[in-house]
């Protein structure tokens, strides 16, 4: 077994606990948080692919049926986990770097929440145990609520409370669905459950099995921020600190793909499963870009665009072919990086202007040319303009829809991408190109160099993935082929 695999969860969890206990030592806390944050993207890169069985309990072979059973909580580490854990680790490091340089006195509880959220999504991505996934799903929900509540933005407490109330509904419903699966199969190990379903030990038309799908699917909609939860999800982005919103969005994307891949392994034999994913994904694409077009608060605008981009991820997975799922997962990686750059970049504008209403802004291109240029490239990447990374994943999704015999989905994806381009160009013109309002004061307000550096790092990743998509698509395709 590879002992580095559990460290991907243990390290951020222990860091969170230590920082929370000793946060009164401000300088030591800063150094410790910085060092641990650097380790987060390094550990998955150094780890070998394989399985880790907690407690040393190896799988057991039933000599009668020839079925392999997994008595231990199992972590599975493949290229998919390596890529996404490294990506969220890098983003966590960049976010903590911004936070440590922005404030002289850091908040131990806030850093605790950042590390705890990272540990939770890492565990969700690694685990092959559906109940273990649910436990960390709950931990992640609490961390997200805390990150929003800890921000200094007006009405953040109200938004955090709304999200927590919805979580108190969505989470128990998902747990009930997991309970039904346990009752049907006698196991919470995803591999064992999938084997029982595909070997005919569980009837795919059983009302209990179908009900478990409905309940877990509802919980997935809540975790992903897909309709009907799109408004509250975009709301928590707008009420968090910009760097916190960037990390929250990555948590959402990782939660989405973690849960849907588990559901795919269990329910892929049901035709209704893929139909449901495609339906809610299309709904998210349309509602996300439509609501973004009506926003004057650019934080809400990005939040709704992010929801729309989630629809592209779901579309690829819902189509169900190897190429389509690969495209959806590539889109997920792109959304993590691109949306993070947008949140941090527009956060830099808030830092320089103390204003979020696009109607009260203007002339920012001359005042902040570096930020404006990087935001322009990130917005074009989100809209799918070549040769950036967003173009590559969306082109793959269009091709996948055509190859599956759904040209109307290809047309929809292109139309939504064009609408995203229109939304972003409209907002960009209002903020950066139109004349500066007379009452807008820009003198003496500079964007922190830390934020510019972080944006530049994310921009390099976007350009590299756009020019060399095979860096990730080849490994993702191999992973998808292994689960189909």
């Amino acid at each position: 077994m590879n002992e580095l695999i559990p460290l991907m969860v243990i390290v951020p969890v222990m860091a969170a606990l230590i920082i929370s206990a000793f946060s009164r030592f401000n300088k030591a806390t800063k150094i410790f948080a910085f060092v641990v944050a650097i380790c987060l993207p390094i550990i998955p890169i150094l780890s070998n692919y394989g399985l880790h069985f907690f407690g040393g309990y190896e799988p057991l072979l039933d000599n009668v049926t020839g079925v392999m059973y997994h008595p231990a909580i199992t972590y599975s580490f493949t290229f998919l986990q390596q890529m996404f854990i490294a990506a969220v680790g890098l983003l966590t490091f960049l976010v903590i770097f911004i936070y440590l340089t922005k404030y002289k006195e850091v908040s131990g509880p806030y850093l605790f929440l950042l590390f705890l959220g990272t540990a939770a999504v890492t565990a969700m991505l690694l685990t092959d145990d559906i109940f273990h996934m649910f436990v960390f799903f709950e931990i992640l929900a609490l961390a997200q609520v805390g990150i929003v509540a800890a921000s200094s933005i007006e009405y953040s407490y109200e938004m955090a409370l709304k999200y927590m109330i919805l979580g108190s509904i969505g989470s128990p419903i998902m747990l009930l669905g997991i309970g039904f699966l346990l009752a049907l199969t006698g196991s919470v190990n995803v591999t064992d459950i999938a084997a029982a379903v595909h070997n005919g030990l569980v009837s795919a038309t059983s009302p209990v099995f179908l009900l478990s799908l409905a309940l877990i699917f509802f919980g997935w909609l809540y975790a992903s921020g897909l309709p009907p939860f799109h408004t509250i999800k975009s709301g928590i982005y707008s009420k968090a600190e910009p760097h916190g919103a960037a990390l929250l969005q990555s948590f959402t994307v990782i939660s989405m793909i973690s849960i849907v891949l588990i559901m795919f392994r269990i329910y892929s034999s049901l035709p209704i499963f893929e139909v449901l994913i495609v339906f809610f994904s299309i709904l998210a694409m349309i509602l996300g870009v439509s609501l973004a077009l009506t926003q004057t608060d650019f934080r809400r605008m990005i939040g709704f665009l992010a929801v729309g981009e989630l629809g592209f991820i779901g579309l690829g997975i819902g189509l169900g072919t190897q190429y389509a799922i690969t495209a959806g997962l590539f889109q997920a990686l792109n959304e993590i990086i691109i949306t993070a750059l947008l949140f941090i970049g527009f956060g830099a504008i808030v830092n320089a202007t103390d204003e979020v209403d696009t109607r009260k802004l203007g002339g920012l291109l001359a005042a902040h040319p570096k930020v404006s240029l990087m935001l322009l490239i990130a917005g074009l990447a989100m809209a799918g303009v070549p040769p950036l990374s967003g173009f590559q994943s969306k082109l793959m999704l269009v091709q996948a829809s055509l190859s599956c015999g759904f040209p109307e989905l290809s047309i929809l994806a292109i139309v939504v991408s064009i609408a995203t381009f229109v939304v972003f160009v409209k907002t960009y013109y209002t903020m950066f190109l139109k004349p500066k309002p007379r009452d807008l004061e820009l003198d003496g307000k500079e964007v922190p160099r830390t934020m510019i550096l972080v944006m530049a790092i994310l921009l390099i990743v976007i350009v590299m993935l756009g020019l060399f998509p095979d860096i990730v698509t080849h490994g993702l395709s191999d992973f998808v082929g292994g689960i189909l």
Side-chain angles (χ1 to χ4, degrees), residues 106-368:
V106 297
S107 168
Y110 189 72
L111 287 172
F112 168 85
L113 293 168
L114 295 180
F115 279 114
L116 190 64
T118 302
V121 292
T122 301
M124 290 178 65
L125 201 57
L126 286 171
T127 188
D128 197 41
D129 184 293
I130 194 169
F131 182 74
H132 190 75
M133 179 277 295
F134 173 78
V135 170
F136 278 97
F137 168 69
E138 282 286 85
I139 293 172
L140 175 63
L142 294 175
Q144 289 176 308
V145 168
I147 290 171
V148 175
S151 71
S152 57
I153 297 175
E154 190 177 10
Y155 301 118
S156 61
Y157 285 102
E158 177 184 345
M159 189 59 66
L161 180 61
K162 289 178 179 178
Y163 191 70
M164 185 170 63
I165 291 173
L166 285 176
S168 67
I169 300 172
S171 296
I173 288 177
M174 177 184 281
L175 181 60
L176 185 59
I178 294 171
F180 284 144
L181 283 180
L182 174 61
L184 285 171
T185 64
S187 176
V188 289
N189 181 274
V190 178
T191 300
D192 292 349
I193 295 172
V197 174
H198 297 313
N199 291 334
L201 301 178
V202 174
S203 173
T205 58
S206 165
V208 178
F209 186 68
L210 295 174
L211 183 58
S212 71
L213 167 61
L215 296 174
I216 296 175
F217 191 88
F218 182 86
W220 176 68
L221 293 177
Y222 161 73
S224 306
L226 295 175
F229 301 104
H230 57 291
T231 303
I232 189 69
K233 182 63 78 170
S234 64
I236 68 169
Y237 298 150
S238 67
K239 298 305 177 184
E241 295 283 349
H243 56 269
L247 199 57
L248 287 175
Q249 169 62 7
S250 72
F251 291 167
T252 298
V253 174
I254 299 294
S255 300
M256 178 184 188
I257 63 173
S258 300
I259 300 173
V260 79
L261 288 176
I262 288 176
M263 290 196 299
F264 189 88
R265 293 170 60 190
I266 297 173
Y267 299 108
S268 59
S269 59
L270 296 174
I272 189 63
F273 171 67
E274 294 178 354
V275 172
L276 285 173
I277 291 181
V278 171
F279 173 77
F280 282 97
S281 298
I282 291 173
L283 205 57
M285 293 164 64
I286 296 173
L287 288 176
V289 73
S290 300
L291 292 173
L293 190 60
T294 65
Q295 302 302 309
T296 56
D297 183 334
F298 55 74
R299 299 172 304 181
R300 292 282 286 187
M301 182 272 293
I302 303 171
F304 280 119
L305 286 181
V307 170
E309 294 300 297
L310 291 173
F312 283 93
I313 302 173
L315 179 63
I317 296 173
L319 290 173
T321 65
Q322 183 173 351
Y323 188 77
I325 297 174
T326 301
L329 293 175
F330 186 26
Q331 172 68 18
L333 178 65
N334 288 332
E335 179 167 3
I336 289 174
I337 305 299
I338 295 170
T339 310
L341 199 163
L342 289 173
F343 274 124
I344 293 171
F346 280 104
I349 298 303
V350 176
N351 187 83
T353 63
D354 297 322
E355 184 59 65
V356 298
D357 192 333
T358 57
R359 295 169 297 183
K360 300 178 181 179
L361 293 170
L364 295 177
L365 178 62
H368 305 288

Side-chain angles (χ1 to χ4, degrees), residues 32 42 100 102 189 326 423 462 469:
F32 179 74
I42 295 175
L100 295 179
K102 183 178 181 179
N189 181 274
T326 301
V423 171
I462 291 171

